[in-house]
Amino acid sequence: MVWYTLCPPTLALPLEGGGMGEGGLRSLFSCLFLLATFTVLLGCDTAPESEATGNASVATTPVLTEAPRVGHLAPDFVLTTLDGREVRLSDYRGHVVFLNFWATWCGPCKVEMPAIERLYREYRRQGFTILAVSTDLEGPAVTRPYRDALGLTFTIAHDPEAVVMRLYGVRTLPVTFLVDREGVITHQIFGARDWQEPEASDGIRRLLQVR
């Protein structure tokens, strides 16, 4: 269908002598030029992720051959928190973990943050923990004022090179994984939601076995 939109209809009409006149040649050259340009534009969307992001180390970062799935163990990782501590997902074994991928520039992320904070304050004494993984390139320079402005008290970790984000197959923000006390992924939630809704809070309570 590209041919019909780019090539002038006169190309399909030969001259009486079976050849192509000067005007036809000009049309042919114009068509080829347009096709070449269109091909270059299409190639922009198929560039490797490492080339598109300018990160030459992407090929050497650990990735799974298959993205984590509900019912499977959550892959372990180590990141640095906003307070400068190293944290591993496995450190929270025995807790229900709310693993949230977000960024300060993400509008929907900001919308759900107050509800996430209320969830944390309500259930943290029952073994509920939140690990909010920021993908901001600027790290603490942007996450610290963001945390202070919203009054967030749960753990914020930094993944500026998107290593863990790729490990979990995250392509959009926000994305949340719920991990049970045995380290198994029980839910994967795409997009923001109101975590104070009965359905959401009941799901957390079931994982915590709180009545």
Side-chain angles (χ1 to χ4, degrees):
M1 289 190 294
V2 174
W3 287 90
Y4 292 112
T5 57
L6 292 181
C7 298
T10 54
L11 284 179
L13 300 176
L15 298 179
E16 293 182 1
M20 182 178 292
E22 181 179 351
L25 287 174
R26 284 198 300 270
S27 297
L28 176 60
F29 291 143
S30 298
C31 176
L32 291 175
F33 175 76
L34 287 171
L35 285 172
T37 303
F38 188 69
T39 301
V40 170
L41 291 175
L42 283 177
C44 294
D45 292 332
T46 57
E49 184 179 352
S50 57
E51 183 177 328
T53 59
N55 186 351
S57 64
V58 167
T60 62
T61 56
V63 295
L64 296 181
T65 55
E66 186 177 1
R69 293 180 296 165
V70 171
H72 290 68
L73 283 174
D76 199 13
F77 56 82
V78 56
L79 291 173
T80 302
T81 69
L82 179 55
D83 300 321
R85 297 180 293 108
E86 277 196 351
V87 62
R88 294 179 181 273
L89 180 62
S90 56
D91 293 341
Y92 298 106
R93 190 63 58 87
H95 292 71
V96 171
V97 180
F98 185 103
L99 177 61
N100 179 258
F101 291 87
W102 67 287
T104 58
W105 47 262
C106 166
C109 300
K110 188 172 185 178
V111 169
E112 72 172 356
M113 281 296 177
I116 293 175
E117 174 64 23
R118 288 193 294 270
L119 203 65
Y120 176 62
R121 294 188 182 190
E122 183 174 358
Y123 295 115
R124 61 183 175 181
R125 290 183 177 85
Q126 281 80 39
F128 178 70
T129 190
I130 292 177
L131 183 56
V133 178
S134 163
T135 60
D136 290 281
L137 294 175
E138 302 87 348
V142 293
T143 58
R144 191 181 306 280
Y146 186 97
R147 178 196 65 179
D148 295 344
L150 294 180
L152 306 178
T153 59
F154 50 76
T155 301
I156 293 175
H158 297 108
D159 185 28
E161 296 180 0
V163 173
V164 179
M165 184 176 176
R166 287 191 298 275
L167 181 67
Y168 275 75
V170 174
R171 297 180 180 275
T172 60
L173 298 175
V175 172
T176 300
F177 293 85
L178 294 181
V179 183
D180 69 14
R181 297 182 189 273
E182 287 71 44
V184 175
I185 298 173
T186 62
H187 298 77
Q188 182 178 7
I189 301 96
F190 298 92
R193 68 173 301 172
D194 182 0
W195 292 98
Q196 295 299 301
E197 291 179 348
E199 181 183 359
S201 58
D202 288 348
I204 299 295
R205 291 171 67 88
R206 282 195 297 272
L207 287 175
L208 291 169
Q209 298 180 346
V210 174
R211 296 182 178 180

